Amino acid sequence: MTFTESIRHNIVHCTNFRDRDPRSAYWWYVLFVTLGAFVGMILDFIIFWPSTGEGRVARFLSENFQSITDFYINVMPITTFWYLLNYLPILACGVRRMNDQDKPAWWFIVTIIFVTIMSVIVFNVTGPQSAELMIVAFDPSASFNEINSALADFEEYNRTSTILSGIQTLPSLLIIIWMATRGTIGPNRHGEDPIA
């Protein structure tokens, strides 16, 4: 399956959780979503971020790092919309990849839900502390001692974030392994081999 075929296929079959998909259907679509997110981030930065000077960037970031909702709505609205737009197609394709390997699709769905919940937890733990650090870091009148003190405080929260991120990493690796594994050769209970 080519890049454009994968995009068309996954959009058309975004509610199909029954059939099988080859690896190329998933990975080309992941590339498409990643490229779109990159463009979305650039547009978010150009359109929604304040101009530099007089501490506007620091205030903007510190205000919007307090909660995950504020961050996604105020700092990255285009990118957030892009991800939400592609959530169902990528979820359905992941389920079809699990079907291709004749594995229970619930493993993929539960893993995605776990990774999403852990991302929210990590953000809620580190977001407010990141906001405080940004206020000091972007303040032109901040002294060297104030910056060092803020970094020392942040280091403690960073350890917690590292532990939580580590808990999130194993399921993420499972998803990569599952999506990279060749499906069963020949037909299985979910249909014909998509490569045949």
Side-chain angles (χ1 to χ4, degrees):
M1 188 173 290
T2 65
F3 181 71
T4 54
E5 288 172 343
S6 170
I7 295 167
R8 188 172 35 257
H9 173 79
N10 283 305
I11 290 171
V12 168
H13 293 96
C14 70
T15 58
N16 178 358
F17 293 87
R18 298 176 314 277
D19 298 329
R20 298 171 65 177
D21 269 350
R23 290 174 285 190
S24 58
Y26 181 82
W27 290 111
W28 280 126
Y29 200 74
V30 166
L31 177 63
F32 169 68
V33 171
T34 304
L35 293 174
F38 182 70
V39 171
M41 285 179 204
I42 292 171
L43 291 174
D44 284 332
F45 182 75
I46 292 169
I47 296 169
F48 297 102
W49 282 46
S51 59
T52 57
E54 300 176 20
R56 282 181 276 207
V57 172
R59 272 194 308 279
F60 173 73
L61 290 175
S62 64
E63 289 167 2
N64 292 301
F65 261 78
Q66 295 298 326
S67 82
I68 195 165
T69 319
D70 288 342
F71 178 78
Y72 284 114
I73 291 173
N74 299 326
V75 178
M76 298 177 51
I78 295 171
T79 308
T80 301
F81 178 72
W82 176 252
Y83 279 129
L84 290 174
L85 194 64
N86 287 288
Y87 193 79
L88 188 59
I90 203 83
L91 183 66
C93 186
V95 168
R96 291 191 305 268
R97 283 290 306 127
M98 294 297 281
N99 291 345
D100 187 41
Q101 299 166 53
D102 211 10
K103 291 183 179 167
W106 286 109
W107 290 3
F108 178 76
I109 293 171
V110 167
T111 305
I112 289 290
I113 291 169
F114 177 79
V115 168
T116 303
I117 290 170
M118 286 304 296
S119 297
V120 170
I121 291 170
V122 168
F123 189 95
N124 284 331
V125 167
T126 61
Q129 291 76 28
S130 298
E132 291 171 21
L133 180 62
M134 280 182 243
I135 291 170
V136 174
F138 283 102
D139 183 4
S141 64
S143 70
F144 187 70
N145 288 338
E146 289 174 321
I147 293 172
N148 278 341
S149 174
L151 286 172
D153 291 342
F154 188 71
E155 193 173 311
E156 181 64 34
Y157 293 110
N158 195 26
R159 278 191 221 113
T160 306
S161 172
T162 302
I163 292 168
L164 293 172
S165 296
I167 294 169
Q168 180 184 5
T169 301
L170 181 61
S172 300
L173 290 174
L174 280 174
I175 291 171
I176 292 170
I177 291 167
W178 288 335
M179 296 303 110
T181 303
R182 166 78 163 92
T184 56
I185 298 171
N188 69 18
R189 62 191 165 121
H190 299 284
E192 293 296 320
D193 190 342
I195 296 179

